[in-house]
């Protein structure tokens, strides 16, 4: 505006009257700034991002509008739009702050219980994995998911509940998947319990009828039971092959077979490297038939062989399943078993004699 134009405006004002002066909206702007700052302190940018962005936008628009009006002649300034924008920023800021606090508290509670629940599943899986073999791929997934649970726990500890929730959501399907897969495998495996019980009942009945020794190996219990005359006379802790869950299918699978066998040979001294051994007649006719059927279905390589030389032998007591499919006892127990068993003694090997309880996640 030129000096002449300004003079015209002044003269005009004197003639028609001076316009009302609009004061700067200092207080509304300060209240808006405080509301947005408070929302930021409550981490609204993370927990209520949409409302918080709107509050910041209104505040910036109010600042721009104020500057725009300040560049005008004082009698032409109109701060009503600035005040309205500041009011909008204040309201949005307050809502964003309250929303952030509510969501943060909700997430804290949610992740607290979520982490506790998942940790319990992790501990149960680890406990069960000490008792049953878990395949390598499943174990790798489980370990990765357990790491995520720990990361979630750490994020929760430093009050980063969004990260805690994200880690928890990533871990949950993996942990539960590992658990479900393991449980389903066991349920499928233990469906054979009725048949295994029948085998054992027949073995004990034979022992009673012949007043002879018979052996029963329960793989899941890791026990070898000695019956004499149909009565349980002794039981011994045993160690098995590392892949003992399931029937032995081929040479090199490190599985302990399931079936009804007889002692084929007694070995001691230079005949065995395992102190003493009782070799059983694996594979019998039933094992061979299963092997051929599995190979015919394409479940086994055409180069696979059925294997053999399964024994009950000494050198056990290592605290792990380490054999190539045999049943290992401590040497002192092997002495007892070796003395009481003869060639032809029945050896019935079963997966388990107990079913799967339906309460909770307990597998045994």
């Amino acid at each position: 505006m030129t000096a002449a134009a300004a003079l015209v405006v002044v003269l005009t004002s004197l003639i028609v009257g001076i316009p009302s002066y609009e004061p700067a909206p200092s207080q509304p702007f300060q209240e808006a700034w405080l509301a947005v700052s408070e929302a930021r302190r409550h981490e609204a940018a993370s927990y209520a991002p949409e409302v918080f962005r709107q509050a910041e936008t209104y505040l910036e628009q109010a600042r721009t509008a104020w500057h725009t009006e300040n560049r005008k002649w004082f009698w032409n300034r109109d701060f009503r739009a600035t005040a309205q924008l500041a009011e909008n920023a204040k309201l949005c800021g307050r809502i964003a702050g309250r929303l952030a606090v509510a969501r943060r508290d909700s997430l804290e509670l949610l992740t607290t219980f979520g982490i506790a629940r998942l940790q319990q599943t992790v501990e149960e899986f680890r406990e069960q994995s000490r008792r049953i073999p878990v395949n390598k791929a499943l174990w790798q997934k489980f370990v990765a998911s357990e790491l995520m649970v720990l990361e979630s726990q750490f994020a929760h500890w430093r009050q980063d509940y969004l990260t805690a929730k994200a880690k928890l959501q990533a871990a949950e399907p993996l942990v539960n998947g590992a658990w479900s897969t393991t449980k389903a495998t066991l349920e499928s495996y233990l469906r054979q319990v009725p048949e295994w019980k029948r085998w054992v009942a027949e073995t004990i009945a034979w022992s009673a009828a012949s007043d002879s020794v018979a052996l029963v190996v329960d793989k899941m219990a890791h026990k070898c039971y000695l019956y004499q005359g149909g009565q349980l006379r002794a039981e011994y802790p045993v160690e098995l092959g590392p892949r003992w869950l399931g029937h032995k299918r081929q040479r090199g699978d490190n599985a302990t077979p399931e079936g009804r066998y007889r002692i084929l040979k007694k070995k001691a001294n230079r005949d065995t490297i395992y102190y003493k051994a009782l070799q059983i007649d694996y594979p019998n006719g039933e094992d061979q038939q299963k092997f051929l059927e599995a190979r015919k279905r394409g479940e086994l390589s055409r180069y696979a062989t059925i294997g053999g030389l399964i024994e009950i032998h000494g050198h056990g007591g290592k605290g792990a399943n380490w054999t190539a499919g045999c049943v290992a006892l401590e040497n002192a127990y092997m002495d007892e078993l070796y003395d009481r068993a003869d060639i032809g003694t029945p050896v019935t090997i079963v997966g388990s004699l107990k079913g799967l309880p339906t309460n909770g996640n307990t597998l045994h």
Side-chain angles (χ1 to χ4, degrees):
M1 181 181 289
T2 64
L7 180 60
V8 171
V9 171
V10 172
L11 292 174
T12 303
S13 300
L14 291 173
I15 294 171
V16 301
I18 298 175
S20 60
Y21 173 67
E22 187 74 22
S26 301
Q27 185 175 350
F29 189 85
Q30 186 178 10
E31 289 176 353
W33 183 84
L34 288 173
V36 173
S37 298
E38 188 70 3
R40 185 179 293 107
R41 191 175 69 80
H42 289 307
E43 301 178 75
S46 298
Y47 292 98
E50 187 176 349
V51 184
F52 183 68
R53 277 197 301 272
Q54 187 62 64
E56 286 190 315
T57 299
Y58 279 135
L59 186 63
E60 183 59 30
Q61 289 174 344
R63 183 183 289 111
T64 301
W66 191 350
H67 288 168
T68 299
E69 294 302 318
N70 276 345
R71 286 195 292 270
K72 298 178 181 177
W73 287 92
F74 69 89
W75 56 77
N76 284 337
R77 293 172 185 170
D78 185 351
F79 291 108
R80 286 176 294 182
T82 304
Q84 184 59 55
L85 289 168
E87 180 67 15
N88 293 347
K90 182 179 71 176
L91 290 175
C92 283
R94 287 177 177 175
I95 292 172
R98 291 169 185 166
L99 196 56
V101 170
R103 285 179 175 171
R104 193 168 177 273
D105 290 348
S106 175
L107 277 178
E108 180 185 8
L109 195 63
L110 180 71
T111 50
T112 296
F113 287 108
I115 291 170
R117 186 181 64 252
L118 216 52
Q119 279 178 327
Q120 183 179 357
T121 305
V122 166
E123 288 169 6
E124 287 175 349
F125 185 89
R126 274 204 171 273
E127 176 62 26
Q128 295 301 333
S129 68
R130 295 189 186 98
R131 308 168 68 177
I132 58 173
V134 177
N135 71 58
K136 187 177 179 181
L138 187 62
W139 183 252
Q140 287 175 336
K141 285 183 180 178
F142 168 73
V143 171
S145 62
E146 186 181 24
L147 182 62
M148 288 182 195
V149 175
L150 291 173
E151 290 173 342
S152 176
Q153 189 177 15
F154 181 64
H156 186 275
W157 174 77
R158 65 172 192 271
Q159 299 182 332
D160 181 359
Y161 302 119
L162 286 172
T163 301
K165 180 188 175 187
K167 294 290 182 182
L168 197 62
Q169 286 180 328
E172 197 160 19
L174 296 176
V175 171
N176 291 335
W179 176 259
S180 298
T181 301
T182 302
K183 192 173 179 181
T185 300
L186 270 176
E187 286 174 342
S188 174
Y189 184 59
L190 294 179
R191 287 194 190 105
Q192 302 171 81
V193 165
E195 183 179 11
W196 291 331
K197 284 183 175 178
R198 179 174 61 81
W199 291 358
V200 171
E202 290 175 357
T203 301
I204 295 172
W206 178 91
S207 172
S210 63
D211 192 23
S212 302
V213 167
L215 305 179
V216 172
V217 175
D218 183 335
K219 295 201 296 182
M220 190 161 284
H222 283 73
K223 289 287 181 65
C224 175
Y225 303 102
L226 187 149
Y227 287 89
Q228 171 76 58
Q231 300 297 314
L232 178 63
R233 301 298 186 185
E235 62 180 64
Y236 311 101
V238 301
E239 291 156 359
L240 309 167
R243 316 303 325 162
W244 60 264
L245 189 71
H247 181 58
K248 184 173 184 60
R249 306 188 72 194
Q250 61 178 314
R251 180 185 180 86
D253 62 8
N254 292 329
T256 302
E258 294 150 7
R260 290 177 285 186
Y261 305 100
R262 288 187 179 274
I263 293 175
L264 192 64
K265 189 182 294 184
K266 297 180 70 172
K267 300 177 181 178
N269 304 320
R270 294 182 178 179
D271 290 338
T272 177
I273 61 173
Y274 297 113
Y275 182 61
K276 291 179 179 177
L278 302 169
Q279 182 181 338
I280 64 174
D281 59 344
Y282 173 88
N284 58 25
E286 189 173 345
D287 296 322
Q288 291 172 348
Q289 183 180 353
K290 287 181 179 176
F291 172 78
L292 293 174
E293 289 173 352
R295 198 160 65 175
K296 188 176 180 180
R297 291 193 298 269
E299 297 172 1
L300 299 174
S301 163
R302 62 192 180 97
Y303 301 108
T305 58
I306 193 170
L309 200 59
I310 298 298
E311 300 173 337
I312 299 174
H313 60 60
H315 286 179
K318 299 179 187 297
N321 293 306
W322 56 275
T323 74
C326 295
V327 178
L329 284 75
E330 293 181 35
N331 290 346
Y333 296 140
M334 193 63 211
D335 282 335
E336 294 180 22
L337 205 62
Y338 191 88
D339 290 343
R340 301 181 71 169
D342 293 315
I343 292 175
T345 294
V347 179
T348 297
I349 305 176
V350 299
S352 175
L353 292 174
K354 295 181 180 178
L356 192 69
T358 56
N359 56 321
N361 287 329
T362 304
L363 293 177
H364 293 280

